[in-house]
Amino acid sequence: MEIDKSAYSKVTLDSKVLLEKLENNPNLGEDDKVIINARLKKELHSPSVHTLLAIFFPINHFLLGKVAKGLLFLFTGGGFGFWYIWNWFVAGGNVKSANDLKVSNIYMQLK
């Protein structure tokens, strides 16, 4: 069993290396890899979905667990429009950074 390759598009290069290490780890059995795949599918967010959310319904900060930042965004009207437009371009990168933390946590738990 391999680690699900669809997760690779949701993370940066550093996390891809960690996923490769997990896949090639001889100490992990098939059951462990099934659990890893389930956690990746459950926990990783899609950068493209978050970019679309940032454009049409800007709740992406809340979905990433940044409630204070999301409230500040909403109360200032998206930073008076400037932050709203900026968010279109950085939402995908923010999601990949959040996904990297999740992959790092999975790696450290199974190391």
Side-chain angles (χ1 to χ4, degrees):
M1 170 120 206
E2 292 184 347
I3 302 294
D4 186 18
K5 299 295 183 196
S6 67
Y8 283 41
S9 65
K10 299 176 182 177
V11 295
T12 61
L13 182 61
D14 293 336
S15 290
K16 289 176 187 175
V17 170
L18 292 180
L19 289 172
E20 288 290 331
K21 286 182 180 180
L22 284 175
E23 186 173 352
N24 297 325
N25 188 341
N27 297 330
L28 293 179
E30 294 300 315
D31 294 338
D32 294 327
K33 291 181 181 178
V34 168
I35 292 169
I36 291 169
N37 281 333
R39 285 188 66 188
L40 289 174
K41 285 183 180 182
K42 177 183 170 193
E43 295 180 19
L44 297 186
H45 294 270
S46 169
S48 56
V49 169
H50 276 263
T51 301
L52 289 173
L53 281 173
I55 293 170
F56 296 110
F57 192 63
I59 60 166
N60 55 325
H61 298 291
F62 293 106
L63 295 175
L64 294 176
K66 299 177 180 178
V67 177
K69 190 174 182 181
L71 289 173
L72 183 64
F73 184 89
L74 290 176
F75 288 136
T76 62
F80 306 106
F82 297 111
W83 188 10
Y84 173 68
I85 293 172
W86 175 257
N87 203 27
W88 297 352
F89 300 101
V90 298
N94 290 343
V95 171
K96 284 190 174 189
S97 296
N99 286 344
D100 286 345
L101 288 174
K102 293 174 185 177
V103 169
S104 298
N105 289 337
I106 291 171
Y107 179 77
M108 294 306 289
Q109 289 173 357
L110 296 173
K111 187 174 177 184

